[in-house]
Amino acid sequence: MGFESYIGLRYLRSRKTKTFLSTITLITVGGVAVGVCALIVVLSVMAGFEDELREKIIGANAHGNVMKQTGGFDGYREALETIKGIPDVAAASPFILREAMISSESNVTGMLLKGIDLDTAPQVTRLGEQIEEGSLDNLRDPKKLLEDTRARLGDRIKDGEFVPGFSSRTKRRLGETELPGIVIGKEMAKYLAVWVGDEINVVNPLGGGLGPTGPIPSSQYFRVA
């Protein structure tokens, strides 16, 4: 028997002949096992959370952003071509990002409004893969989105779920006007209580210029795409 094995067995064995392991040894080994198990579980959960968070962030955004802090980005086309010419840059796409407010018949909240180029955005993000309801194609064809909304409302009215004239979740009757599409997150959809085809109002607090009392907000209705 080796020296290490002898020392290990010497302190593991019970001094009583009837039992192989002492109570203190069992408690010690069990405590170490529980501690190691807890550490492994925590590390596994944190690693999974980190991977999931990274996938969500990178999936909705490009790996790098070039932004102008103040004023409009008038020379973005030239900057876009310069960025595309940098070695190891696979693709680039322009976008607009600003703070705004969004409201439905049920609620109102703040938001980051991001405008994208539908032709080049799929080259730098995986937004299309993360959509659970609706489609990015609805952004290209507001007329089809309106027709689908009307058809779905018609079916729900026939089933008695909605009453004609009272089926809107917005201040205007739902499904009567062709509107530009907008994509929103799942949690925001729950908070606003809206679904694909519902109308929401986006308010820009500083978009209407200056009036006698200060900045005038501007608003635009969108249909959830």
Side-chain angles (χ1 to χ4, degrees):
M1 181 183 295
F3 178 74
E4 295 83 359
S5 301
Y6 173 78
I7 295 296
L9 291 174
R10 170 66 181 80
Y11 286 96
L12 280 175
R13 285 175 179 170
S14 173
R15 294 187 179 181
K16 298 180 180 179
T17 58
K18 294 183 180 180
T19 57
F20 179 71
L21 297 178
S22 66
T23 303
I24 298 299
T25 302
L26 289 174
I27 295 175
T28 304
V29 173
V32 173
V34 171
V36 173
C37 179
L39 180 62
I40 293 174
V41 170
V42 170
L43 289 176
S44 301
V45 171
M46 293 303 296
F49 176 77
E50 181 181 355
D51 293 341
E52 182 72 13
L53 183 62
R54 186 190 301 112
E55 287 296 319
K56 287 185 178 294
I57 293 176
I58 295 179
N61 296 278
H63 291 178
N65 294 322
V66 177
M67 304 177 67
K68 189 176 181 182
Q69 296 297 324
T70 58
F73 202 155
D74 297 329
Y76 78 92
R77 291 184 178 86
E78 293 77 7
L80 193 65
E81 294 303 321
T82 301
I83 293 171
K84 288 181 179 179
I86 297 176
D88 298 328
V89 172
S93 177
F95 69 95
I96 298 173
L97 184 68
R98 70 168 305 144
E99 295 179 350
M101 298 179 64
I102 184 170
S103 65
S104 66
E105 187 69 14
S106 304
N107 232 326
V108 61
T109 185
M111 67 177 297
L112 278 176
L113 181 64
K114 186 174 184 179
I116 61 174
D117 180 5
L118 289 176
D119 294 327
T120 58
Q123 301 174 10
V124 298
T125 68
R126 290 187 289 182
L127 180 61
E129 301 175 12
Q130 296 178 336
I131 291 181
E132 297 182 2
E133 300 292 341
S135 171
L136 278 181
D137 293 334
N138 290 333
L139 297 178
R140 298 181 183 272
D141 195 352
K143 183 177 181 180
K144 183 179 182 300
L145 177 59
L146 175 61
E147 293 174 352
D148 293 344
T149 301
R150 285 174 173 170
R152 189 176 69 256
L153 280 176
D155 295 337
R156 299 175 80 173
I157 289 173
K158 289 179 183 178
D159 295 338
E161 184 177 349
F162 284 158
V163 177
F166 296 93
S167 58
S168 176
R169 295 179 183 171
T170 62
K171 297 179 180 179
R172 303 184 301 168
R173 185 173 178 181
L174 185 64
E176 69 177 3
T177 306
E178 183 177 323
L179 296 171
I182 188 172
V183 177
I184 62 176
K186 180 170 62 175
E187 295 303 321
M188 179 176 287
K190 290 180 181 179
Y191 184 78
L192 297 175
V194 295
W195 199 251
V196 176
D198 287 346
E199 296 179 16
I200 55 178
N201 189 24
V202 175
V203 179
N204 181 2
L206 305 176
L210 293 176
T213 59
I216 301 175
S218 63
S219 63
Q220 168 68 48
Y221 273 92
F222 289 84
R223 192 175 303 283
V224 179

